[in-house]
Amino acid sequence: MAYDDLRSFLRALDREGDLKRIKAEVDPHLEIGEIVDRVQKAKGPALLFENVKGSSMPLAMNVFGTERRLAKALGLKGPDDISEKIAGLLKPELPQGFTGFRDAFGKLASMTHVPPRHVKDAPVQEVVLTGDDVDLDRLPALFTWPLDGGSFFNLGLTHTKHPDTGIRNLGLYRLQRHDRRTIGMHWQIHKDSRNHYAVAAKRGERLPVAIAFGCPPAVTYAATAPLPGDIDEYLFAGFIAGERVRMVDCKTVPLQVPADAEVVVEGWLEPGEMLPEGPFGDHTGFYTPQEPFPALKIDCVTMRRRPILQSIVVGRPPTEDGPLGKFTERFFLPLLKIIIPDIVDYDLPEAGGFHNCVIVSIDKKYPKHAQKTMHAIWGAHMMSLTKLIIVVDADCDVHDYQEVAWRAFGNVDYSRDLTVVEGPVDHLDHASYQQFWGGKAGIDATRKLPEEGYTRDGGWPEMVASDPATAALVSRRWKEYGL
């Protein structure tokens, strides 16, 4: 089972020696960011800063900084644990005999834990602050990189709902602290919460917003997952955690938040109220420029009696984004294979920010199969933002970058096997010559067929490989060689 809240997970890490408590006073202006970036890149422990300058709240950092810690937080051995479960739910089979009926019933029974559970009393509402008592300066926000435009909360989970349908959205967006009662909402053009705000603003209505900090690990992970707009992140969190997420009504806005969070801020977005937001050293490794974004006025803060804030540091990879992105890659493979059955496996390199590059393997069956797969990926939800697609044959391990590079460097005639198109790119993409759209490329690194125009004598050459009998002989005698 996943951990019920952040603090229980931190206690578990502490018992295992995988949490470092830092008692010395540290400055959230640059100093904490430098410490965390070094520790994360060294794959070091989770950090709990107990004495943050200017704040009475401890700050938990690098909590999900390794795949092992993230798996532990979610109650898994690894990301592949749940991908198989997802595959089973996506492709239910008709029962055949008693065994088939039992298996099908088991799938249905496993969903009973998914819907969130409403509660009236919540730890996150032990303390309620309103009016002049609201002071965001009490919350440790990070000024991470020298050219940042201010201090930011990097792991606040933003709750909104569609003004017409009432469908809620849980998203993870950076949040700039403008003053003691105002937060800048950096939700990008492709995000669901931005659409909620646009609908409300068009109708001249204000939009309720609640932001939760220090949430149960499964909820935090679900907020990072690129789910379609009609899939509730809290259903997904319950599915991952193996139990229903406890939710409580907010005090001043018509939204629900995790009852076991550490801190929640509540407010309303007025139509057209914008402030300059940024620059910010983002997960791309570059600063994103200053732009106008909605400014949220905070009316209420609720929290535990002794809250712990959680944040992350982003910048040049590798960062804490890495384990989160890799888990998303594995979790969503079954879903992507339902949409694009051609895919055998795929890899999203962290160096590409998990959306700039996709390496995909296919069991090639017909001419231009690779190109068909490229265009299917560019048409699949948020995969549409992919800038580079490399397609390899099914016998290539997509996670072995040296193997992929060998195929891409050697198997390609770039006058024939390179596909160049234009389409949407990520809001944060700095390389496109204009914002929001730009050029993309697909590389066909598969074996080429005669029907594709590869008509050289003898056809596509065989790859060099050992003689199986000799390889087996050498393996048996390896110790004899003294090697």
Coordinates of all heavy atoms in Angstrom, one line a residue, residues 81-91 236 239 330-332 334-335:
D81 N 5.2 -2.7 -11.9 CA 4.2 -3.4 -11.0 C 2.8 -3.0 -11.5 O 1.9 -3.8 -11.6 CB 4.4 -3.0 -9.6 CG 5.5 -3.8 -8.9 OD1 6.2 -4.6 -9.6 OD2 5.7 -3.7 -7.7
I82 N 2.6 -1.7 -11.6 CA 1.3 -1.2 -11.9 C 0.9 -1.2 -13.4 O -0.2 -1.2 -13.7 CB 1.1 0.2 -11.2 CG1 -0.4 0.4 -11.0 CG2 1.6 1.3 -12.1 CD1 -0.7 1.6 -10.0
S83 N 1.9 -1.1 -14.2 CA 1.6 -1.1 -15.7 C 0.9 -2.4 -16.1 O 0.0 -2.4 -16.9 CB 2.9 -0.9 -16.5 OG 3.8 -2.0 -16.3
E84 N 1.3 -3.5 -15.5 CA 0.6 -4.8 -15.8 C -0.9 -4.7 -15.3 O -1.8 -5.2 -16.0 CB 1.3 -5.9 -15.1 CG 2.7 -6.2 -15.7 CD 3.4 -7.3 -15.0 OE1 2.8 -8.0 -14.1 OE2 4.6 -7.5 -15.3
K85 N -1.1 -4.1 -14.2 CA -2.5 -3.9 -13.6 C -3.3 -3.0 -14.5 O -4.5 -3.3 -14.8 CB -2.4 -3.4 -12.2 CG -3.7 -3.3 -11.5 CD -3.5 -2.8 -10.0 CE -4.8 -2.7 -9.3 NZ -4.6 -2.1 -7.9
I86 N -2.7 -2.0 -15.0 CA -3.4 -1.1 -15.9 C -3.7 -1.8 -17.2 O -4.9 -1.7 -17.7 CB -2.5 0.2 -16.2 CG1 -2.4 1.0 -15.0 CG2 -3.1 1.0 -17.4 CD1 -1.4 2.2 -15.1
A87 N -2.8 -2.6 -17.7 CA -3.1 -3.3 -18.9 C -4.2 -4.3 -18.8 O -5.1 -4.4 -19.7 CB -1.8 -4.1 -19.4
G88 N -4.3 -4.9 -17.6 CA -5.4 -5.8 -17.4 C -6.8 -5.1 -17.4 O -7.8 -5.7 -17.8
L89 N -6.8 -3.9 -16.8 CA -8.1 -3.2 -16.8 C -8.5 -2.6 -18.1 O -9.6 -2.4 -18.5 CB -8.0 -2.0 -15.8 CG -7.9 -2.5 -14.3 CD1 -7.6 -1.3 -13.4 CD2 -9.2 -3.2 -13.9
L90 N -7.5 -2.3 -19.0 CA -7.7 -1.7 -20.3 C -8.2 -2.7 -21.3 O -8.9 -2.4 -22.2 CB -6.5 -1.0 -20.8 CG -6.1 0.3 -20.1 CD1 -4.7 0.8 -20.6 CD2 -7.1 1.4 -20.4
K91 N -7.8 -4.0 -21.1 CA -8.2 -5.0 -22.0 C -8.9 -6.2 -21.3 O -8.4 -7.3 -21.2 CB -6.9 -5.5 -22.7 CG -6.2 -4.4 -23.6 CD -5.0 -5.0 -24.3 CE -5.4 -6.0 -25.4 NZ -4.3 -6.4 -26.2
F236 N -7.3 8.0 -10.3 CA -6.0 7.5 -10.6 C -5.2 7.3 -9.4 O -4.5 6.3 -9.2 CB -5.3 8.3 -11.6 CG -4.0 7.8 -12.2 CD1 -4.0 6.5 -12.8 CD2 -2.8 8.5 -12.1 CE1 -2.8 6.0 -13.3 CE2 -1.7 8.0 -12.6 CZ -1.6 6.8 -13.2
F239 N -6.4 4.3 -7.5 CA -6.0 3.1 -8.2 C -4.5 2.8 -7.9 O -4.2 1.6 -7.6 CB -6.1 3.3 -9.7 CG -5.7 2.2 -10.5 CD1 -6.4 1.0 -10.6 CD2 -4.5 2.3 -11.3 CE1 -6.0 0.0 -11.4 CE2 -4.1 1.3 -12.1 CZ -4.8 0.1 -12.1
R330 N 6.4 4.4 -17.8 CA 6.1 2.9 -17.6 C 4.6 2.8 -17.4 O 3.9 1.8 -17.9 CB 6.9 2.3 -16.5 CG 8.3 2.3 -16.7 CD 8.7 1.3 -17.8 NE 8.7 1.9 -19.1 CZ 8.7 1.2 -20.3 NH1 8.6 -0.1 -20.3 NH2 8.8 1.9 -21.4
F331 N 4.0 3.6 -16.5 CA 2.6 3.5 -16.2 C 1.7 3.6 -17.5 O 0.7 2.9 -17.6 CB 2.1 4.6 -15.2 CG 2.5 4.4 -13.8 CD1 3.3 3.3 -13.5 CD2 2.2 5.3 -12.8 CE1 3.7 3.1 -12.2 CE2 2.5 5.1 -11.5 CZ 3.3 4.0 -11.2
F332 N 2.1 4.5 -18.4 CA 1.2 4.8 -19.5 C 1.5 4.0 -20.8 O 0.9 4.1 -21.8 CB 1.3 6.3 -19.8 CG 0.4 7.1 -18.9 CD1 1.0 7.5 -17.7 CD2 -0.9 7.3 -19.1 CE1 0.3 8.2 -16.8 CE2 -1.7 8.0 -18.2 CZ -1.1 8.5 -17.0
P334 N 0.8 0.7 -21.3 CA -0.4 0.0 -21.7 C -1.4 0.9 -22.4 O -2.0 0.4 -23.4 CB -0.9 -0.6 -20.4 CG 0.3 -0.7 -19.5 CD 1.1 0.6 -19.9
L335 N -1.6 2.1 -21.9 CA -2.6 3.0 -22.5 C -2.2 3.4 -23.9 O -3.0 3.4 -24.8 CB -2.8 4.2 -21.6 CG -3.7 5.3 -22.1 CD1 -5.1 4.8 -22.3 CD2 -3.7 6.5 -21.2

